[in-house]
Structure formats: structure tokens, C-alpha cells
């Protein structure tokens, strides 16, 4: 049983840590939104794993709240950027959003060649 | 009775382990994939299958109806909300050019460019739809649908 504890929490922690790295690296806001979404799901999974392994149902209502929170957060950010894009003629640079990170990276790699 | 319980425990622990493994894959995929859409593809693995497996495992271990119903609620809620948020995020990602367009096989939004025809997912304070361009867009789309 100890091995099961170590394995599950190790895998959950590794996944959460990698999601955190992506959250820090970016490069764009939407990458961070996707990473936060995944991180919250992993947290919910960790709570459920704890509830299951320890036979402790007190944490189960927290699960409902966390899964609600993940949905509301990502939809909120998507709608916020979508609202800015609606006033823009192109991809949002003319209303104050920065240049898309993927395009910047592509141009940088072309310049190196 | 005790043999049945042991079997249930083994199945539940196997489900929990599989779900945790999916969470780890999601982290690796998030770190290694090149753009927003592919990262979202990796991140959605634990959102649906992983959460379902862990909820089933937890429900088997907890053995109480109130906990089971709440875990079922979480699973159903995940399956309802994951496609909605993925749709909204990927749509914005495409418009903001966070997608590697050279890697797309099918690119149905490419000709559309600016959204002139509102489809119901714009904010309440959006500028009003221009009737003439919206009508032209609708006629063009209908014609394209007819030829397809």
C-alpha cells in the first residue's frame, strides 16, 4: 500500500510540476490558461486520490468547487481576449495586445539561419 | 465478503494509478508540444479520462451514496465543461495566431478572417453587427455550403 501511495502522489506531483513549468515558460497567455486548467484538474485528482486512499469523504465537496473554478477561469480569460479581438481588424495588435509569441519565435529562428 | 472487498480495493487502486499516470502524461505533453492546440490536446487527457478513472476508483473505495453522487456530479460536470472551454480557448488561439498554421492539415477558418457574422459567443458590449457585411457574409457562407 505504501508503494501505491508513493506512485500515485509521485505521478500527480510530477504532472503538476511540469504544468507549473509550462505556466512559467508561457510563452503566450493562452498557454498559461491551458496550463492552469490542467493544474487545477490535477489538484482535483489529487484530492480525489486522497479521499479514495484514506477513505475520507470530507474532501469530496471541495472537488465540486475546484472543478467549477477551472471552467470559470479559462472561459473568463478566453472571453476577455475574444472581446478585445472583436474591436481589432486583424489579430489584436492594433488594440494593444502583444505580438503572438509563436510568430516572434518563428521570425527569430529564421533570422538565425 | 472480505475477498470481495479486497477485489474492490485492487480494482479501485488500479483505477487511481491509471488516472495518476494520465496526469503525468498531461504534464509531459504540456511541456513538450509546440503550440496551444497541441498542448490543449495533451492537457485534456486527465480532464476527461483521468478524472473519470479517479472518480470511479474513489467511489469504489468510499462506499457511501452521498460521496458517490458527488463524485458522479464532478465527472458529469467535467464532461460538460471541458469541450466548452476548449472550444473557446482554441478559437481565440487561432485568431491570435498562437497556432502553427503551417502544421494544420485542414484550415476551415482561414478564409473567414475577421468575424463579421456574429455567432452568439461575443461579449455584450461588442460593437453592433453591420447589417450589410453580415448579410453578404451569410450569403457567401450559404453558397459555399451549397457547393460543398
Amino acid at each position: 500500500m505504501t508503494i501505491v501511495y508513493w506512485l500515485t502522489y509521485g505521478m500527480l506531483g510530477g504532472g503538476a510540476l511540469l504544468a507549473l513549468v509550462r505556466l512559467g515558460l508561457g510563452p503566450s497567455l493562452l498557454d498559461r490558461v491551458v496550463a492552469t486548467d490542467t493544474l487545477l484538474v490535477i489538484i482535483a485528482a489529487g484530492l480525489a486520490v486522497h479521499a479514495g486512499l484514506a477513505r475520507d469523504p470530507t474532501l469530496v465537496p471541495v472537488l465540486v468547487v475546484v472543478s467549477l473554478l477551472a471552467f470559470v477561469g479559462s472561459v473568463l480569460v478566453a472571453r476577455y481576449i475574444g472581446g478585445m479581438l472583436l474591436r481589432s481588424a486583424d489579430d489584436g495588435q492594433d488594440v494593444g495586445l502583444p505580438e503572438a509569441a509563436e510568430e516572434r519565435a518563428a521570425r527569430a529562428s529564421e533570422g538565425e539561419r | 465478503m472480505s475477498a470481495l472487498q479486497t477485489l474492490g480495493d485492487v480494482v479501485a487502486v488500479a483505477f487511481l494509478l491509471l488516472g495518476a499516470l494520465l496526469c503525468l502524461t498531461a504534464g509531459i505533453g504540456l511541456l513538450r508540444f509546440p503550440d496551444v492546440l497541441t498542448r490543449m490536446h495533451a492537457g485534456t487527457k486527465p480532464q476527461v479520462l483521468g478524472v473519470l478513472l479517479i472518480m470511479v476508483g474513489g467511489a469504489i473505495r468510499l462506499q457511501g451514496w452521498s460521496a458517490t453522487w458527488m463524485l458522479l456530479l464532478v465527472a458529469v460536470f467535467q464532461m460538460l465543461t471541458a469541450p466548452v472551454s476548449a472550444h473557446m480557448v482554441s478559437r481565440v488561439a487561432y485568431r491570435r495566431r498562437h497556432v502553427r498554421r503551417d502544421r494544420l492539415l485542414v484550415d476551415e477558418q482561414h478564409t473567414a478572417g475577421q468575424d463579421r457574422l456574429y455567432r452568439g459567443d461575443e461579449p455584450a458590449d461588442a460593437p453592433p453587427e453591420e447589417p450589410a457585411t453580415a448579410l453578404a457574409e451569410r450569403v457567401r457562407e450559404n453558397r459555399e455550403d451549397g457547393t460543398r
Side-chain angles (χ1 to χ4, degrees):
Chain A
M1 209 61 193
T2 327
I3 300 175
V4 170
Y5 272 93
W6 278 105
L7 266 178
T8 43
Y9 287 121
M11 285 194 281
L12 287 168
L17 202 69
L18 293 173
L20 268 180
V21 170
R22 175 50 67 198
L23 187 65
L25 285 179
S28 70
L29 177 62
L30 290 164
D31 287 313
R32 296 195 168 100
V33 171
V34 173
T36 320
D37 216 6
T38 313
L39 187 65
L40 273 169
V41 169
I42 292 177
I43 290 172
L47 291 174
V49 164
H50 171 78
L53 287 183
R55 287 195 198 275
D56 172 22
T58 44
L59 278 178
V60 175
V62 183
L63 272 177
V64 183
V65 177
V66 170
S67 66
L68 264 168
L69 204 67
F71 171 65
V72 170
S74 59
V75 166
L76 209 70
V77 177
R79 279 190 68 102
Y80 170 64
I81 309 177
M84 284 183 88
L85 280 177
L86 214 60
R87 288 186 197 80
S88 141
D90 189 31
D91 65 345
Q93 279 187 56
D94 50 342
V95 289
L97 291 169
E99 186 188 7
E102 274 74 7
E103 294 216 323
R104 205 165 51 221
R107 196 172 318 120
S109 69
E110 274 174 16
E112 280 170 15
R113 253 178 252 147
Chain B
M1 182 64 197
S2 84
L4 202 66
Q5 246 177 1
T6 323
L7 184 68
D9 277 355
V10 169
V11 171
V13 164
F15 278 165
L16 292 182
L17 276 171
L18 262 176
L21 184 68
L22 277 169
C23 288
L24 182 65
T25 9
I28 297 172
L30 269 182
L31 205 60
R32 285 188 55 89
F33 280 164
D35 67 3
V36 177
L37 290 192
T38 47
R39 279 171 198 154
M40 194 172 349
H41 159 75
T44 320
K45 292 283 161 302
Q47 274 186 344
V48 181
L49 184 59
V51 163
L52 278 182
L53 286 175
I54 288 183
M55 294 305 147
V56 172
I60 294 173
R61 283 279 293 181
L62 284 174
Q63 294 174 335
W65 277 111
S66 66
T68 309
W69 282 119
M70 232 177 275
L71 291 176
L72 188 71
L73 183 72
V74 173
V76 168
F77 194 75
Q78 276 294 328
M79 288 173 76
L80 281 179
T81 56
V84 176
S85 63
H87 172 82
M88 298 192 73
V89 171
S90 56
R91 205 172 136 82
V92 170
Y94 184 89
R95 288 284 309 282
R96 280 279 291 139
R97 296 172 199 259
H98 287 312
V99 175
R100 293 279 301 270
R101 296 193 186 190
D102 52 327
R103 293 196 173 185
L104 293 180
L105 287 178
V106 181
D107 192 358
E108 288 189 328
Q109 279 206 306
H110 185 63
T111 49
Q114 168 82 4
D115 274 349
R116 289 184 209 88
L117 186 61
Y118 285 8
R119 288 169 213 280
D121 59 348
E122 55 281 325
D125 61 340
E129 190 180 50
E130 291 173 26
T133 48
L135 185 67
E137 194 81 358
R138 199 168 280 136
V139 166
R140 190 182 63 77
E141 278 189 2
N142 285 341
R143 205 184 305 128
E144 280 183 1
D145 283 343
T147 56
R148 211 175 276 164

